[in-house]
Amino acid sequence: PPVRTARSALDEQALAACDVLVVKTPTSRYAPEEVEVVRQFVEKGGGLLLVGEHTNVFNTGVYLNDLAARFGFGFRDDCLFDIDTPFDQLHTRPVLAHPIIQAVPALDFAVSCSIDPGRSLGRAVILSTGLRSLPADYHASNFYPQVEDRADARYGAFVQLWATRFGAGRVAAFTDSTIFSNFSTFEPGKPELMLGMLEWLNHR
């Protein structure tokens, strides 16, 4: 089926011919009625892909969390960096890989936020270790924090791609929208990741 852009409010008619709904860094809030329509869409067997970005920049995390909360998880307003190479985080496929990433040999992140799995029953498709989580810097226009040792930093393992089931449908949440920008999306691993997410979401 073709890819279409929804230019009006989300309702049952708008999603009637939709298999997978992709919501990438929304810059305005969905109405409660739209959030409920999306919840019902997934419950009846639809796929939902939520794509966020670091630090809740431009309130994208808030708007995504209106949707994500209905499925029990959320996007954090942090910024993740590799401890040793802050601006170079390479993810390599684990031995026991989730179906989404079985065709993704390796993937360079362009700095992401993290997922709080909350009370959702799902699986961490990408769980990266050796990371530093810094909170948003609201004095900067893009909320991007300075990379430095801070008392409020957190260290360890963080979820960067979360997958869960809801009713007859599926939800995936990814945390780095930048790698799907025009200048980056055809780099190795990135087309395979997008296709893997859409393929998994389009099944029951």
Side-chain angles (χ1 to χ4, degrees):
V3 176
R4 293 182 294 109
T5 301
R7 302 193 183 279
S8 57
L10 296 177
D11 55 24
E12 290 186 24
Q13 183 178 355
L15 297 181
C18 180
D19 296 315
V20 177
L21 174 65
V22 179
V23 180
K24 179 178 181 281
T25 55
T27 54
S28 60
R29 200 157 209 167
Y30 289 100
E33 297 79 13
E34 293 179 287
V35 173
E36 178 58 20
V37 164
V38 172
R39 187 198 68 78
Q40 293 177 8
F41 166 74
V42 176
E43 188 174 39
K44 294 175 182 177
L48 174 64
L49 174 58
L50 303 176
V51 182
E53 189 50 89
H54 64 75
T55 66
N56 183 32
V57 63
F58 311 127
N59 279 336
T60 56
V62 170
Y63 306 146
L64 284 171
N65 281 338
D66 286 343
L67 295 167
R70 302 305 297 267
F71 307 102
F73 65 89
F75 290 79
R76 293 192 179 103
D77 58 355
D78 60 353
C79 201
L80 297 180
F81 300 96
D82 188 281
I83 292 174
D84 297 320
T85 55
F87 298 103
D88 184 17
Q89 184 204 336
L90 177 67
H91 174 78
T92 54
R93 183 180 60 220
V95 175
L96 300 176
H98 188 280
I100 288 177
I101 57 171
Q102 284 181 356
V104 182
L107 177 73
D108 280 312
F109 276 87
V111 182
S112 75
C113 65
S114 63
I115 293 286
D116 177 2
R119 56 181 175 80
S120 64
L121 298 176
R123 179 175 171 187
V125 179
I126 296 180
L127 176 68
S128 300
T129 59
L131 298 182
R132 173 186 352 189
S133 167
L134 294 175
D137 181 356
Y138 295 108
H139 293 92
S141 61
N142 62 354
F143 302 169
Y144 203 87
Q146 293 294 316
V147 183
E148 57 191 1
D149 293 326
R150 296 169 51 170
D152 57 350
R154 299 168 61 224
Y155 296 84
F158 295 90
V159 177
Q160 292 175 289
L161 174 52
W162 182 251
T164 186
R165 291 175 170 84
F166 184 82
R170 296 179 173 188
V171 181
F174 185 65
T175 56
D176 186 2
S177 71
T178 303
I179 70 167
F180 297 128
S181 299
N182 290 343
F183 61 84
S184 179
T185 194
F186 295 108
E187 295 174 352
K190 294 164 186 178
E192 294 89 344
L193 175 62
M194 177 58 78
L195 291 172
M197 290 190 294
L198 295 176
E199 179 73 8
W200 185 79
L201 289 167
N202 202 22
H203 286 76
R204 295 190 182 186

